[in-house]
Each structure stands twice: as structure tokens, then as C-alpha cells.
Amino acid sequence: MTQTFGIFYIVSTPIGNRDDITLRALTVLKTVDLIAAEDTRHSRPLLQHYGITTPLISLHHFNEHARVPMLLAHLQAGKNIALISDAGTPLISDPGYILVGALCEAGITLCPIPGACAAITALCASGLPTDHFVFTGFLPSQPTARQKKLSTFLKTTSTMICYESPHRILDCAKDISAIFGQNHAVVFAKELTKHFETFFRGTAQAACIWLAENPDHQKGEFVVIIQGIPKTKTAVDTEETQRILSILSDELSSKQAIALAEKITGIPKNKLKEMQFGQKNYTHV
Ligand code: SAM
């Protein structure tokens, strides 16, 4: 007799508005044998709201490894399990990756139940291009690491999406302005699907002003979206800038060359430094 394994469902839950849950998600959560939740106390009110009495077990970053054998054994015994996180789609800046990897290897059937995700919710109403985008999760909390991370996107033509904590949102906006330039287009999507849902769309500099002018503007949950570097800027302008930078660097100190190149091209110093670094490395190869 062949043993039938259970199914592991990855179920998206609302990111604010409780109505943003699918009928399929509700059916699955009602009928599975067990729900693995990031924080059982956090999820209980939502489940109670929908009359779901399925037993809960915690699955968070700190116990995920340890939970794998037990959950796998349940599935191998034919039990169905659903994974939910505190909000949105599990595994998207949320736990579950280790477990899902292990279940894939063990040949368990995985069934995603799609629904809310803050990154996609923000992107679709951002007004920025949606045909190519990169999602980078939470930015590093330390300023230097955050600036370094942001700088890695200086060459990307895709729209960039990240999550940021309200405590660092103003510093994040300042870093974006310094790295991508004051006039670079950004969107700060705040409290999505909730009562105070707000979209700030404008330049990086205007975002800094908007965030600083009222402490309330810094409160809540944020998705930060940064416009990709326009193709013309990376392909054509970059070639011309490299040429200018190269001529100036031959005649002036590194600092002077950068300062003058910024005046000529309007490209921020950080980006020019990166290019200069690239040129030096190239000539040494
Ligand atoms: N798994 C979730 C998803 O699918 O979007 C993300 C979880 S992550 C731990 C939480 C972060 O997502 C928040 O700090 C914030 O950056 C973003 N986020 C979640 N809900 C949001 C909302 N309603 N409005 C804006 N951002 C939100």
C-alpha cells in the first residue's frame, strides 16, 4: 500500500485590511490539520474573526530548523499543514524558507495560496515601471551597510523595492537622495490597505522634506520604491561620463576630478566615485 503524504499549503494573509484574504485561503485554513504561524498570538484574532479553530503551532526564525523534523513527520503521516506569517505572503521577508526547502527535498507537495504582499501592493500603485523590478527585502539597519546596499543598485534599470522600518525611514530617504541624486523619483507607500494608507510620490529630496515636516509621516509600515536608472543614463550617458571622468582624472586629483565631473554631468559624487573606482580597477587588470 502506498502511503499518501499530506499537502503543505503556503497561505497569504492580509497586510492590514482583514477583508484581503481569499476564499480559498479561508477554506484551506479551516480544513488543514495544523497551522504553523509565525506568531500564534498575532494570528489568533484573524483566525477567530473567520471562525477558524484549527490548532496552531509557532514557526519563527528562531525555531524553524528545529520544527522541520516534526512537521515533516506529520506530513509523511498524511496530515495537511498550512503556513502563515504575521502578514502577507510567508517567506517574503518572513520565515519559511528553510522548511519549504526541506519539504521540497522530501518530496512533499507544496501548494501556494496567493494573496496580499506589501511589495507588490505598493508597486502596482506606485506609478513607476512595473515591467522589471528587484525586491531586496529589508535594507540593512546600519547606515554604512544600508548605503552600500543602496549603491549596489546604481546601475540597475529595474524599479527597486525594499522594506524599511519607521525608525530609519528618514535616514533611508536621505541616503537615497545622496546616492541616487536629489531629483531621483521615489515612492514611499505607507500603511497599505489600512485607514491611513498614504502614497508619497516625488523626488528623493521632496520625500526627505515630507518625512521630516511631520513626525506622523514617519509612523507606520513602509514600502520604499526607487525608480530604476533610466537606460539612457546607464548606457549612453555612462560612456560620456566615463570619458569626462577619465580626462579629468588624468589632470586633477581624484577629489577634484569627481567634484568637476559632478558639476559637468550632474551625476552624484557617489556614483562618479564608483565609476572612477571601476576605471582604476580596469586599467590595473
Ligand atoms: N510577508 C510580508 C509581505 O508579504 O509583504 C512582509 C513581512 S515583513 C516582516 C514586514 C514589512 O513589510 C514591514 O516592515 C513593511 O516594510 C512591509 N509591510 C507590511 N505590511 C505593510 C503595509 N500594510 N503597508 C506598508 N508596508 C507594509
Side-chain angles (χ1 to χ4, degrees), residues 68-80:
V68 171
M70 189 260 270
L71 292 172
L72 182 56
H74 276 308
L75 289 157
Q76 285 170 335
K79 304 277 181 213
N80 295 318

Side-chain angles (χ1 to χ4, degrees), residues 12-17 38 61 85-95 115-122 135 137-138 162-166 189-194 197 220-224:
S12 298
T13 56
I15 54 168
N17 188 320
E38 185 182 3
H61 285 300
S85 61
D86 286 354
T89 303
L91 279 82
I92 305 300
S93 293
D94 268 338
C117 172
I120 301 299
T121 307
F135 170 66
F138 280 101
C162 40
Y163 290 158
E164 185 53 287
S165 130
K190 174 173 129 84
E191 293 291 88
L192 293 163
T193 78
K194 303 185 204 176
E197 177 176 278
E221 295 192 283
F222 282 92
V223 179
V224 178

Side-chain angles (χ1 to χ4, degrees), residues 152-173:
T152 63
F153 294 112
L154 274 169
K155 285 186 194 131
T156 181
T157 53
S158 304
T159 301
M160 293 152 271
I161 312 173
C162 40
Y163 290 158
E164 185 53 287
S165 130
H167 312 294
R168 297 187 284 273
I169 197 72
L170 180 57
D171 286 340
C172 170

